[in-house]
Amino acid sequence: MSMDSNPMPMSEPNAWATAINNLGMAPMNMTGQPLLSDFDQGLGMMTGIAPMNPMMPGLGMVPPPLLPFDLPIVKEIIHCKSCTLFPPNPNLPSPAIRERPPGCKTVFVGGLPENATEALIVEVFGQLGEIIAIRKSKKNFCHIRFVEEFTVDRALFLSGYRMRLGSSTDKKDTGRLHVDFAQARDDLYEWECRQRLYAREERHRRRMQEDRFRPPSPPPIVHYSDHECSQLGDKIKDEAAFAEAVNVLLTWVERGEVNRRNANNFYSMIQSSNSHIRQLMSHKATHEKELEVAKDKFKTALTGILAQFEQIVSVFHAASKQKAWDHFSKAQRKNLDMWRKQAEEIRNMQNEELMGIRREEEMEMSDDDMEDTHDPDDSGPVAQVEALKEENDSLRCQLDAYRNEVELLKQEQGKNQEHTPPQHSEENTIRQQQLTFLQQALQGMQKQLLKMREEMKQREAELEKSVEDKQQLELQVQSLKEGLESLKKTRTPQPETSPRDDRGSEESADQVNEATALEVVSCSQEKESLPPEKIPSSPVYSEREALLVGIISTFLHVHPFGASIEYIFSYLQQLDTKINTGQVGALLGRLPCTFRQELTGVGASLEKRWKFCGFEGIKTK
């Protein structure tokens, strides 16, 4: 039953205030006014009830403070207008309670005085929360159903209290309260409704999530018709719409749309699909070329990175020499040494990667590929011949197909003429037209095949001629190599250099030899055409050395008093990191009419300087 009437105010609210303060809610009188103005909201619920249901909402405005577990619960005497509640003995164990039913809002209250009325129950338990109904038995117990679930935990606080009505000591006016959870069908029904609601919301949320990430459905395949067939034939020939069109064609064939009337249409579409293979192969070849170009770019970029690593390592090696190393502090030397080791490790790793790429390229190359690299002009005719062969094969297959169709049509026409009277029907007219069309196509294919054969013969003749030219060039290269070896043997020795520049002089000698070999190979045809006495001899062996001569001449022209070989080398090293002092000295020594070495200074300041004397040397020549 609903309790709409408000009971009279309590006579002594201080005890109720202390009890309700332990429960973690502000004490109110029955009219809704706060009993204590200085109520502490931070006290929260008592520690003895909080562990029963730690997720209970609404037990306090703020979370309860962390209290020690061994702190005893303070229970005081509660004075009401009609009764008095005496706390139980704190040394006694807490009363046993049953397991909390799901969604419990109803409590069982036993041990009531026999003279207790429903108004008295509302006066005591109405302070804990709003009451929906009270079912009182004729004996000393009742069931109370609250509006909120957390009010049940507050009601358990009164379990164990001894109730006395007024100041009477009669046995019927006293009793010890026992508050426990009660099972109610209404509570269970409401809880199940909430659970079903939560389950529906969860299913809806999951379905929405699945729909959000579900891929869109493919478009439906159109049904076969003559109009759709003609449009599909155009789409198959289009490279952009080929994939979609082939899917439609596959669906039609699987559905069983092919019959005797439209078999020619399907055959033409299948033939168009087969011709698309050549386009796919050409696309593949294009992508392979792009991959090769990307590999070459990566290799070039990696070579440039390695050159910069070499420069950085050279800087560390130069800083490690004694004339510069002594000026650094101990911490700076430690950092420089660590940086040098790291740079060398990274450089070695990059060198290994580049060598691995080169080894892979060498393994992939066959002997035929090596021959093609010497004469790149052969790649064009060979590729064209291969393309012509492939096209010839495809045309031959188409020609055989047309021949088979013509033979089948002839056989069918002969059978029909034997069994039918000599009258031209519509079907015979269609077959005659198809036969004429196929004969015309067959003649065109034969003409195209003959033309392709003639072109193939011409390409093969050009290929044989290019092979002969390549053999002649290889013989010329071999003779030039032999002449280069004899030139190396008869060459005069280089002037002596310091032990520090031995490695540089060897590298310069190798570079000079390579430059000489390249120059000899590039100018082989011109030297063969000239008589032996007209072949020019020059101390400059390559275009690179000619560039160095021009740069050194410009540098010395702005230094009229000359410059040392170290000064010149430091300037050239900024332009080319692979150059060394021995190579520069050898080049200057081979040009006495352009550069002259002079000694300047006296004693300890004696220094060798190079000067540009080209203006005087041009007069003597």
Side-chain angles (χ1 to χ4, degrees):
M1 58 178 290
S2 302
M3 303 303 298
D4 298 331
S5 60
N6 293 331
M8 297 298 293
M10 293 179 295
S11 59
E12 296 184 9
N14 291 333
W16 264 112
T18 304
I20 301 303
N21 194 6
N22 290 332
L23 285 174
M25 63 180 185
M28 301 283 183
N29 60 10
M30 299 305 293
T31 59
Q33 299 296 328
L35 297 179
L36 294 178
S37 60
D38 57 348
F39 174 73
D40 188 3
Q41 295 284 354
L43 292 177
M45 186 178 174
M46 62 183 179
T47 59
I49 297 179
M52 295 181 185
N53 193 353
M55 303 278 301
M56 287 186 299
L59 287 179
M61 298 300 292
V62 295
L66 297 176
L67 300 176
F69 291 100
D70 55 352
L71 185 65
I73 301 173
V74 179
K75 290 187 177 182
E76 299 179 357
I77 300 175
I78 301 175
H79 297 278
C80 299
K81 180 179 179 181
S82 303
C83 64
T84 305
L85 299 176
F86 297 94
N89 188 358
N91 297 325
L92 295 177
S94 57
I97 58 176
R98 66 174 68 181
E99 185 179 359
R100 182 179 188 131
C104 179
K105 295 182 181 179
T106 306
V107 294
F108 167 81
V109 181
L112 292 172
E114 294 183 5
N115 295 331
T117 60
E118 201 170 299
L120 178 65
I121 297 173
V122 172
E123 179 184 353
V124 174
F125 290 92
Q127 297 291 330
L128 304 177
E130 185 178 355
I131 298 174
I132 297 178
I134 297 177
R135 294 187 295 273
K136 188 176 182 305
S137 175
K138 294 181 179 179
K139 299 183 180 180
N140 56 349
F141 69 90
C142 69
H143 289 84
I144 304 174
R145 189 164 186 258
F146 295 98
V147 176
E148 301 294 340
E149 291 186 19
F150 62 87
T151 314
V152 174
D153 298 282
R154 297 178 179 179
L156 293 176
F157 176 73
L158 300 179
S159 181
Y161 271 81
R162 188 165 56 86
M163 178 184 290
R164 187 176 66 183
L165 301 180
S167 58
S168 174
T169 58
D170 190 3
K171 185 177 181 181
K172 294 184 179 182
D173 294 334
T174 60
R176 187 174 298 276
L177 300 180
H178 173 69
V179 184
D180 198 354
F181 298 110
Q183 292 184 352
R185 288 191 297 270
D186 296 339
D187 297 344
L188 183 60
Y189 175 74
E190 291 181 1
W191 180 80
E192 289 177 351
C193 290
R194 285 198 304 271
Q195 296 301 316
R196 286 194 292 269
L197 177 62
Y198 296 153
R200 285 196 299 271
E201 292 178 354
E202 178 65 20
R203 286 196 301 270
H204 179 70
R205 185 192 63 79
R206 193 176 303 166
R207 191 180 301 111
M208 293 293 291
Q209 191 76 7
E210 292 175 357
D211 293 342
R212 189 181 295 111
F213 292 102
R214 182 179 299 163
S217 301
I221 304 298
V222 297
H223 293 282
Y224 175 81
S225 64
D226 294 337
H227 176 69
E228 294 293 340
C229 181
S230 61
Q231 288 186 350
L232 186 64
D234 297 335
K235 288 182 180 179
I236 289 177
K237 296 176 183 178
D238 188 7
E239 185 178 355
F242 177 78
E244 182 181 357
V246 167
N247 188 20
V248 176
L249 177 60
L250 175 62
T251 305
W252 285 354
V253 173
E254 290 179 348
R255 283 178 183 174
E257 301 286 350
V258 184
N259 52 36
R260 193 177 186 84
R261 186 177 62 85
N262 59 14
N264 293 328
N265 296 333
F266 275 96
Y267 179 78
S268 61
M269 288 188 291
I270 294 172
Q271 186 178 3
S272 301
S273 303
N274 183 39
S275 63
H276 191 72
I277 295 176
R278 291 197 295 272
Q279 298 181 7
L280 295 178
M281 296 303 295
S282 63
H283 290 336
K284 179 185 176 184
T286 304
H287 291 311
E288 287 178 352
K289 290 180 181 179
E290 292 178 357
L291 179 61
E292 294 296 332
V293 171
K295 285 183 179 179
D296 293 339
K297 287 183 180 180
F298 173 71
K299 190 169 150 186
T300 305
L302 187 59
T303 306
I305 292 171
L306 286 175
Q308 295 181 10
F309 270 115
E310 292 291 343
Q311 293 178 357
I312 296 172
V313 173
S314 301
V315 169
F316 282 119
H317 282 297
S320 301
K321 293 182 180 179
Q322 189 173 3
K323 60 182 180 182
W325 188 259
D326 295 340
H327 298 286
F328 294 113
S329 64
K330 188 174 180 181
Q332 291 174 348
R333 291 177 187 174
K334 185 177 180 181
N335 290 334
L336 289 174
D337 193 13
M338 179 180 64
W339 293 340
R340 179 180 59 81
K341 291 179 180 178
Q342 291 178 356
E344 289 178 351
E345 290 178 359
I346 298 174
R347 180 197 61 183
N348 294 334
M349 291 171 60
Q350 300 299 328
N351 278 326
E352 290 178 0
E353 185 176 357
L354 182 60
M355 294 303 295
I357 294 173
R358 289 177 179 173
R359 282 195 297 269
E360 289 178 0
E361 291 178 353
E362 291 175 359
M363 291 173 64
E364 291 175 357
M365 275 188 176
S366 61
D367 296 337
D368 296 335
D369 296 334
M370 293 293 291
E371 292 178 1
D372 293 338
T373 53
H374 292 295
D375 192 3
D377 296 337
D378 296 343
S379 60
V382 173
Q384 292 176 1
V385 168
E386 293 294 333
L388 290 174
K389 285 183 179 179
E390 292 178 0
E391 192 169 358
N392 187 15
D393 295 337
S394 63
L395 291 174
R396 189 175 296 168
C397 293
Q398 293 179 7
L399 183 60
D400 295 338
Y402 282 129
R403 284 177 180 173
N404 295 331
E405 289 184 4
V406 170
E407 291 177 358
L408 291 174
L409 288 174
K410 285 182 179 180
Q411 292 176 2
E412 291 178 359
Q413 186 177 5
K415 291 179 180 179
N416 293 331
Q417 288 178 357
E418 292 177 357
H419 296 286
T420 58
Q423 56 183 0
H424 298 283
S425 61
E426 184 179 358
E427 186 176 357
N428 291 335
T429 305
I430 295 174
R431 289 181 179 178
Q432 286 291 340
Q433 292 177 358
Q434 292 179 354
L435 182 60
T436 305
F437 173 74
L438 290 174
Q439 287 177 352
Q440 292 176 359
L442 183 61
Q443 292 176 0
M445 296 290 289
Q446 288 177 351
K447 291 179 181 179
Q448 189 175 2
L449 183 59
L450 293 174
K451 186 178 178 181
M452 296 292 291
R453 285 180 179 176
E454 292 178 358
E455 291 181 359
M456 188 185 302
K457 289 179 180 179
Q458 293 178 1
R459 295 293 183 183
E460 289 178 353
E462 292 178 0
L463 181 61
E464 291 177 357
K465 186 178 179 181
S466 61
V467 169
E468 292 177 358
D469 294 340
K470 187 174 75 170
Q471 292 177 357
Q472 293 178 2
L473 289 175
E474 288 179 354
L475 293 175
Q476 292 177 4
V477 170
Q478 186 66 25
S479 62
L480 289 174
K481 286 183 178 179
E482 293 176 357
L484 181 60
E485 291 178 358
S486 62
L487 181 62
K488 287 181 180 179
K489 293 178 181 178
T490 58
R491 187 178 175 187
T492 56
Q494 296 290 337
E496 295 182 359
T497 57
S498 61
R500 182 181 58 184
D501 298 334
D502 288 342
R503 184 178 178 183
S505 62
E506 292 176 0
E507 294 178 357
S508 64
D510 295 338
Q511 293 176 358
V512 170
N513 294 337
E514 292 176 1
T516 306
L518 292 173
E519 185 179 1
V520 171
V521 171
S522 62
C523 303
S524 60
Q525 295 180 358
E526 296 179 0
K527 287 184 179 180
E528 288 178 358
S529 63
L530 292 175
E533 61 274 4
K534 291 186 179 181
I535 294 176
S537 61
S538 174
V540 180
Y541 299 138
S542 64
E543 185 179 359
R544 182 172 177 274
E545 291 189 354
L547 292 174
L548 290 176
V549 170
I551 295 171
I552 294 172
S553 302
T554 306
F555 179 76
L556 293 178
H557 184 66
V558 297
H559 293 79
F561 298 105
S564 62
I565 189 68
E566 288 81 7
Y567 190 20
I568 298 172
F569 170 70
S570 63
Y571 175 73
L572 293 177
Q573 195 179 19
Q574 297 178 1
L575 303 176
D576 188 4
T577 57
K578 297 181 179 179
I579 199 170
N580 51 61
T581 311
Q583 185 178 356
V584 177
L587 180 61
L588 296 177
R590 291 200 304 270
L591 301 171
C593 296
T594 308
F595 305 104
R596 183 176 64 251
Q597 189 177 20
E598 296 180 356
L599 297 175
T600 59
V602 179
S605 61
L606 186 64
E607 185 180 4
K608 294 180 180 180
R609 292 190 177 185
W610 288 91
K611 291 185 177 181
F612 177 70
C613 59
F615 298 106
E616 292 83 3
I618 194 66
K619 298 177 182 178
T620 59
K621 288 290 185 182

